[in-house]
Amino acid sequence: MSEVLKIFKIGGGIIDDAAQLGQFLAALARVPGPKMVVHGGGKGASQMLQDLGIAPQMVQGRRITDAATLDIVTMFYAGKTNKQVVAGLQQHGVDALGLSGADGNVIRASKRPVKEIDYGFVGDLDEHSVNTGLLQTLLGTGLTPVFCAITHDGHGQLLNTNADTIASSLARALAPFYQVELHFCFEKDGVLADVTDETSVIPQITPGQYQELKARGVIAAGMVPKLDNAFAALEAGVERVVIENALKINEPVKTILCRN
Amino acid sequence: MSEVLKIFKIGGGIIDDAAQLGQFLAALARVPGPKMVVHGGGKGASQMLQDLGIAPQMVQGRRITDAATLDIVTMFYAGKTNKQVVAGLQQHGVDALGLSGADGNVIRASKRPVKEIDYGFVGDLDEHSVNTGLLQTLLGTGLTPVFCAITHDGHGQLLNTNADTIASSLARALAPFYQVELHFCFEKDGVLADVTDETSVIPQITPGQYQELKARGVIAAGMVPKLDNAFAALEAGVERVVIENALKINEPVKTILCRN
């Protein structure tokens, strides 16, 4: 039986709140065994772009990453946020090591092809994107890799990449070597049966139940791509996907998605 | 006989010039054997502080690192510059991995004590600062560590640290395990016998010759702290210190400092 590896994805909401981030990192330090963190961006980068007079370009809700924007998001995600998370984990005794995709060629991406929209310097991942050998070496020496959502193309170009995609690509790629648990941490306690009732967390969802919940409209717009992505990861060999509150990772309340 | 490890320190001048940086990285890729890079900051961070209306605070020629300044230098050094260097080396086939001192607790510093000047969030290193075990593991797997000049105190605080000091501390700490060559790369071809003549490079300087050159005033103000630091590293077990042009690292012209 292979070892359990837990991958925690945290979003922008918690990155933007230093007190909550500290609480999450302290809780993460109590999670035993090998683990990884993937962090999103937060509002800091948009604020800095604005302060510098660089207007954020959005098309159909997606940020367009021009060269100036890539510079700022690289600075924010790979510099400020990544090093804050790493230093905070070190403070709590976790031997964290920050990574962009370029470091150790750990995640190689391709610049998204231009179709209707030119997304600019945005990276897409494929099944061979992840350097699993290096990650096994790092985990084997007791390190906790901390990923920002910046990758590279291997030809010197950094690329802005979706953090959820990075988390699920890491989970899939490492599934042959570990029993991977992929934890999506956000501000709610799990998937809610009733969006107006924070206590209506669904403890477990199978693929069949998911189809039914979608058909009945219980699972709403914003949650659908996240859960589609999660069930695809399960199909690709990930052992378990957990949707939980970033501030309650050591508490029993959460939604567990399982294969059957 | 232990293996040769080459540590290259590059300064702000080359960081600020994308074409020269690319040329240096391509040349570095042709250097055989285990190696590391330490990079300074460049003018970008000061420019960004200015663009954001944060006045750089200098006391006696030293930057005072307040919280806002630390944020920006962390973003610039650990984010933008570090990832550009790493992605550029990957492009040339070098398996580079970027590190701040917080990553893998690789360099732990102490906040400089307040005496006449409060330098703010500036880190000083001591003899136990460097995690040599992790560096040997990384080098052993064929990685090229790339250091920015940001360290941490182990209690969650990042610290701005002098890049020359980082380079020589790494060299000293690794001297028991490797034959360490410490390369200070800058815009001149070496230490000049005549500052008005770029071709007057002194090929080799022993400690005795250095004292004489200082006494005769041949080695001028700016060079003295760098060379004092270099000879101290040799005394502490570093095999060789090289002062050379960042764009000519594979050419024979350079100044070699040696123990005797």
Side-chain angles (χ1 to χ4, degrees), chain A residues 196-231:
Chain A
T196 66
D197 177 5
E198 296 288 338
T199 68
S200 67
V201 174
I202 309 173
Q204 190 167 315
I205 309 176
T206 62
Q209 289 167 330
Y210 177 51
Q211 293 310 324
E212 194 202 313
L213 289 165
K214 264 207 294 196
R216 283 171 40 212
V218 173
I219 290 175
M223 209 64 189
V224 170
K226 218 181 241 312
L227 291 186
D228 281 350
N229 183 9
F231 279 105

Side-chain angles (χ1 to χ4, degrees), chain B residues 31-77:
Chain B
V31 173
K35 49 192 172 284
M36 291 183 178
V37 178
V38 179
H39 61 81
K43 293 188 186 133
S46 298
Q47 184 60 51
M48 174 161 271
L49 285 162
Q50 201 177 312
D51 292 348
L52 291 168
I54 304 165
Q57 297 179 53
M58 308 291 286
V59 173
Q60 299 174 13
R62 308 296 285 264
R63 186 200 290 276
I64 303 300
T65 308
D66 60 10
T69 303
L70 180 70
D71 258 13
I72 301 295
V73 298
T74 301
M75 290 169 63
F76 235 90
Y77 302 169

Side-chain angles (χ1 to χ4, degrees), chain B residues 30 116 145 163 181 234 238:
Chain B
R30 295 195 298 273
E116 299 95 69
E181 279 187 16
L234 288 175
V238 173

Side-chain angles (χ1 to χ4, degrees), chain A residues 48 51-52 71-72 75-76 79-80 83 86-87 90-91 95-98 100 102-105 143 152 154-156, chain B residues 48 51-52 71-72 75-76 79-80 83 86-87 90-91 95-98 100 102-105 134 152 154-156 158:
Chain A
M48 174 160 273
D51 292 348
L52 291 170
D71 257 14
I72 300 295
M75 289 170 63
F76 234 91
K80 181 174 169 168
K83 297 319 159 201
V86 168
Q90 289 284 350
Q91 174 186 13
D95 198 4
L97 183 131
S100 74
D103 297 296
N105 190 27
L143 290 161
H152 79 142
H155 306 291
Chain B
M48 174 161 271
D51 292 348
L52 291 168
D71 258 13
I72 301 295
M75 290 169 63
F76 235 90
K80 181 174 169 167
K83 297 318 159 202
V86 168
Q90 289 284 348
Q91 174 186 12
D95 199 3
L97 183 131
S100 75
D103 297 296
N105 189 29
L134 176 59
H152 79 141
H155 306 291
L158 296 167

